[in-house]
Amino acid sequence: LSSDIGHTFEFWVLGARNFVTDEPENVKAILSTEFSTFDHGPNRQCAYSPLLGDGIFAVDEAKWRDARVLLRPSFAKSQICDIDLFERHFGNLLQALPATTAAVDLQELFKRLFMDIITEMLFGSSTNTLKGKDGGGLDAFSDACEYTQKVVWRKIALGPKARFWPDSKDRQSRRFLHNIVDQYVEQFVLTEQKSTEKEKQAENERGRYVFLEHLAERTHDRKVLRDQLLSTLLGGRDTTSTLLSNLFWILARSPSLWRELRKEANSPEMQLLDTEALKKASLARQCLQESLRHHPVVPINQRWANKDIVLPRGGGPAGDGPLFVPEGSNIFINVWAMHKRKDIWGEDAEEFRPGRWENIHPGVEPQSVAGLTLGQEELAFSEATYILIRMLQCFESVSPADDEPWRENLSITLTASSGCKVALRRDFAPRVPSYLPLGLDIVFRSALYSSKNKDLDFWAWLYSHSQHKGSPTVELYMGPQRFIFTADPENIKAILATKFQDYGKGQSFHGDWKDFLGDGIFNVDGQEWQASRHLIRPQFSQERLHDLDIFENHVQKAIAKVDRHGQEVDVADLFYRLTLDATMDFLLAHSVGSLDDPQTEFAAAFDEIQRIQALKMRF
């Protein structure tokens, strides 16, 4: 219509006057300089208010300003970019993706990923849809959100006629969502009222960001909290998942661009991903910007004039003069058409070309995340940049899994009607070849070496028999399990230092050591490890560690055990007993006395359990 009629035109439907525009000057006036003149309008309010109440996406004027003042402090940049949270849920995404190049619909997985992220940020408890687990009563939350959003779009499209389309499932879904959020709000408010100042301070020191907690610092009104939480949820899930799935649809068909992006993602600057590193990922950010232009997440934005207004362009015979818009008119911003205008973006406006963002002229930005407010846009872009870079780091290539052309599926956001079906090829190290099914020959060789206490010889054999001899990193399969062996200093540094949070001991290790160590610091990962570290760290102060009297006493005992006439002594056993006695004395102020009596019950039991655990780990 824009190309045939003009960049701004009007039409009437059932007595209502409507304008459509893709003029940047008009868009600037509607969304910025004349913002107070335009409301969401009665149609949108009727569509959103049953679900969001007085949430920021469903109100206008004074209520909108109040909601903005309430929400704004909770979107401080230092708070919303939680790298550890992003990484934890990205790990769940990796587990959900196939290990082979089998086809997978990233559109669906990205929806689940960002639902898991946003619910943990909002409530402190994730839906965990990628794991298929119940996230504290939130197991059906995602499905209910999905359905209610479809109904909202239907109501916006139908306008006043939507009242003649009763929908019992919509009512049930809304009631379910309200009940779940109300439970979290009520639980938090009650806990907050009972918590002492000391407990609140301890919680703050953990550094965990929960949106509900920050919002509740400014109001304890249960309905206000629920309405704003749901608004933030709807604004923070679909926009980011849609942005990434649309981008991956393009990248799957652009292998050279994927290779360029991988060079950036695997550069030294990207090995420690923090907020500063994300800002330096210039090509990744250009691709996200170009995706927002090429496939705008919100292609149509609607406003309603609350008084007479004159827009900069659209009037006159040529459509380049001022345009009078009377009060009560609906204004539709055609973001899709604006982003395809050749007079703005050049002759290649229909092409996906991230390089255009290197020298984009000021004042031209994609109106792609319309509807996001405050820091939500920054959050969405940070999430998308992080997940994109991590996908680039983990997968060698991406290719389309179908031949379907792009066909739009338009609701509140714009997605491909056929999804984003791709085949992802993971990065692999040089492989140790196996000549029997399930790697049984390697399993047998491993058991043989272990039975002779020659595990290090087995590892040396692996390196010498990989596809690329001399490579410091190799991989193999024993049974269904993939194993990676590395002696590369850069990898070791990443695993034990710079990316420590990305690696855990795993469920198998935890299960093997559970009976012995329980949930001690050497047998847990993630937040449990952090909590254990927080608990133990003060006990290892420099003052205590510099107190050498304890160690000196046990060293003197060990020296006394050494025969001074040249008689042979097992120093390994001696040092074992010395360390055991000194450590127990340091921790419990009581030595087990193994230097005095090598057969003391505790020392013998400790020695035996370590022997058993070593066997478990080998076999």
Side-chain angles (χ1 to χ4, degrees):
L1 289 176
S2 294
S3 59
D4 294 337
I5 302 175
H7 295 299
T8 301
F9 58 90
E10 68 175 281
F11 64 96
W12 292 76
V13 176
L14 298 177
R17 194 173 188 179
N18 302 275
F19 292 84
V20 178
T21 185
D22 62 20
E23 285 284 5
E25 290 183 45
N26 290 346
V27 174
K28 181 180 179 181
I30 295 166
L31 299 181
S32 180
T33 57
E34 300 291 341
F35 182 80
S36 60
T37 305
F38 297 93
D39 295 336
H40 292 128
N43 282 354
R44 177 161 167 163
Q45 288 176 358
C46 289
Y48 272 108
S49 58
L51 174 62
L52 302 182
D54 290 332
I56 194 168
F57 293 140
V59 293
D60 293 312
E61 298 179 344
K63 286 186 176 181
W64 182 89
R65 289 191 292 272
D66 290 343
R68 187 174 187 269
V69 169
L70 179 67
L71 289 171
R72 190 168 194 171
S74 296
F75 281 104
K77 291 182 181 179
S78 61
Q79 295 171 334
I80 63 175
C81 192
D82 188 339
I83 297 296
D84 290 342
L85 184 146
F86 296 168
E87 180 60 31
R88 187 165 63 255
H89 289 287
F90 176 73
N92 295 338
L93 174 66
L94 284 183
Q95 292 295 319
L97 290 168
T100 63
T101 55
V104 62
D105 187 355
L106 286 181
Q107 186 168 287
E108 179 59 32
L109 286 179
F110 282 149
K111 280 185 180 180
R112 290 160 59 186
L113 169 65
F114 290 106
M115 174 59 82
D116 290 352
I117 289 175
I118 195 67
T119 49
E120 182 165 348
M121 288 188 69
L122 291 178
F123 310 125
S125 179
S126 173
T127 46
N128 283 323
T129 58
L130 284 170
K131 288 184 173 181
K133 294 181 180 179
D134 180 356
L138 295 173
D139 50 320
F141 199 88
S142 181
D143 291 340
C145 279
E146 188 83 21
Y147 189 78
T148 54
Q149 284 183 276
K150 288 180 180 177
V151 174
V152 164
W153 174 250
R154 187 178 73 207
K155 289 179 178 178
I156 292 174
L158 292 175
K161 299 186 292 296
R163 71 187 71 177
F164 302 112
W165 191 330
D167 191 329
S168 59
K169 183 177 179 180
D170 177 46
R171 289 193 298 273
Q172 293 171 0
S173 297
R174 281 190 276 113
R175 191 179 302 118
F176 173 77
L177 292 174
H178 290 171
N179 289 340
I180 289 292
V181 177
D182 285 344
Q183 288 174 25
Y184 277 86
V185 169
E186 188 66 24
Q187 179 183 351
F188 173 77
V189 171
L190 291 176
T191 303
E192 182 76 2
Q193 290 171 348
K194 294 177 182 178
S195 298
T196 65
E197 287 301 318
K198 187 175 181 180
E199 289 171 335
K200 292 178 184 178
Q201 183 178 355
E203 184 66 28
N204 289 334
E205 287 175 355
R206 292 193 187 101
R208 188 184 181 205
Y209 174 78
V210 178
F211 188 88
L212 172 57
E213 294 177 4
H214 287 256
L215 201 58
E217 290 174 0
R218 292 176 291 284
T219 180
H220 276 188
D221 185 308
R222 271 77 161 172
K223 185 177 184 302
V224 171
L225 289 171
R226 179 232 282 170
D227 293 347
Q228 303 306 341
L229 285 166
L230 277 174
S231 290
T232 306
L233 173 68
L234 295 185
R237 184 195 80 146
D238 280 358
T239 49
T240 319
S241 63
T242 299
L243 167 57
L244 272 180
S245 59
N246 288 346
L247 175 57
F248 268 81
W249 195 94
I250 294 289
L251 292 178
R253 292 156 177 82
S254 309
S256 61
L257 179 56
W258 182 265
R259 288 192 292 271
E260 288 182 49
L261 281 164
R262 271 181 53 87
K263 289 179 183 177
E264 178 178 77
N266 290 313
S267 65
E269 292 84 358
M270 297 296 115
Q271 297 315 298
L272 179 59
L273 276 182
D274 54 18
T275 52
E276 291 305 311
L278 294 180
K279 293 176 184 177
K280 295 176 183 176
S282 57
L283 182 56
R285 295 176 73 87
Q286 288 169 16
C287 285
L288 289 167
Q289 286 277 51
E290 182 68 351
S291 179
L292 291 174
R293 186 197 69 83
H294 194 70
H295 291 135
V297 171
V298 182
I300 302 292
N301 198 357
Q302 181 263 334
R303 288 294 187 269
W304 183 81
N306 58 38
K307 64 180 181 181
D308 293 349
I309 180 75
V310 176
L311 291 177
R313 295 179 67 84
D320 56 359
L323 174 69
F324 173 72
V325 176
E327 177 183 351
S329 299
N330 290 307
I331 313 291
F332 293 91
I333 301 171
N334 191 342
V335 179
W336 176 274
M338 184 171 64
H339 286 180
K340 298 297 189 291
R341 285 181 56 170
K342 294 182 179 180
D343 57 325
I344 296 176
W345 303 98
E347 289 300 316
D348 61 355
E350 296 283 347
E351 299 176 17
F352 185 90
R353 186 172 67 82
R356 75 176 77 246
W357 292 95
E358 292 179 1
N359 301 299
I360 203 75
H361 52 283
V364 178
E365 296 180 0
Q367 296 291 330
S368 51
V369 283
L372 293 192
T373 61
L374 316 172
Q376 284 183 296
E377 186 171 342
E378 182 66 26
L379 170 61
F381 216 75
S382 295
E383 290 176 321
T385 307
Y386 185 87
I387 298 303
L388 172 59
I389 291 174
R390 293 293 286 118
M391 290 287 284
L392 288 161
Q393 290 174 341
C394 292
F395 294 97
E396 181 182 349
S397 64
V398 57
S399 56
D402 61 32
D403 297 324
E404 291 291 323
W406 173 273
R407 293 190 182 92
E408 69 180 43
N409 175 41
L410 182 59
S411 59
I412 293 177
T413 58
L414 174 70
T415 57
S417 61
S418 59
C420 180
K421 298 182 178 64
V422 301
L424 292 158
R425 179 179 176 81
R426 295 178 186 257
D427 271 336
F428 292 105
R431 187 167 295 186
V432 178
S434 172
Y435 303 100
L436 291 177
L438 300 177
L440 291 177
D441 52 332
I442 298 178
V443 173
F444 174 77
R445 186 178 291 273
S446 171
L448 181 63
Y449 276 94
S450 289
S451 67
K452 298 178 180 179
N453 289 324
K454 292 185 176 181
D455 296 279
L456 296 180
D457 290 345
F458 173 66
W459 294 354
W461 177 86
L462 291 176
Y463 285 112
S464 66
H465 284 75
S466 71
Q467 293 168 329
H468 300 286
K469 293 180 175 59
S471 171
T473 303
V474 300
E475 69 171 76
L476 64 138
Y477 279 84
M478 289 195 287
Q481 186 67 45
R482 182 187 182 198
F483 292 86
I484 297 175
F485 292 78
T486 187
D488 190 317
E490 289 297 318
N491 290 345
I492 295 170
K493 180 181 178 182
I495 295 167
L496 299 182
T498 57
K499 291 199 171 186
F500 180 78
Q501 74 279 1
D502 296 353
Y503 299 92
K505 299 172 185 71
Q507 290 299 315
S508 177
F509 185 98
H510 180 76
D512 287 344
W513 288 86
K514 175 75 173 177
D515 291 340
F516 180 32
L517 298 179
D519 291 325
I521 191 169
F522 292 130
N523 200 37
V524 290
D525 296 316
Q527 291 182 350
E528 290 179 314
W529 183 88
Q530 294 285 355
S532 295
R533 187 173 184 265
H534 183 77
L535 178 67
I536 292 172
R537 193 170 190 174
Q539 313 309 316
F540 289 89
S541 64
Q542 286 191 358
E543 184 179 350
R544 288 204 69 198
L545 292 174
H546 289 167
D547 181 5
L548 301 179
D549 289 346
I550 291 175
F551 304 106
E552 180 62 25
N553 292 338
H554 293 287
V555 167
Q556 291 300 327
K557 280 188 178 182
I559 291 174
K561 298 294 180 183
V562 178
D563 187 271
R564 296 181 183 276
H565 300 289
Q567 187 174 350
E568 186 178 276
V569 62
D570 185 351
V571 292
D573 177 66
L574 184 67
F575 285 146
Y576 164 73
R577 289 185 281 137
L578 166 62
T579 305
L580 182 62
D581 287 358
T583 302
M584 294 299 291
D585 203 355
F586 177 82
L587 294 175
L588 305 176
H590 179 75
S591 170
V592 297
S594 66
L595 280 170
D596 298 322
D597 179 10
Q599 299 304 315
T600 182
E601 186 176 359
F602 184 91
F606 198 81
D607 192 36
E608 178 63 13
I609 194 67
Q610 286 190 298
R611 186 188 68 82
I612 293 172
Q613 292 303 127
L615 289 174
K616 282 185 178 181
M617 293 183 69
R618 285 175 180 166
F619 300 106

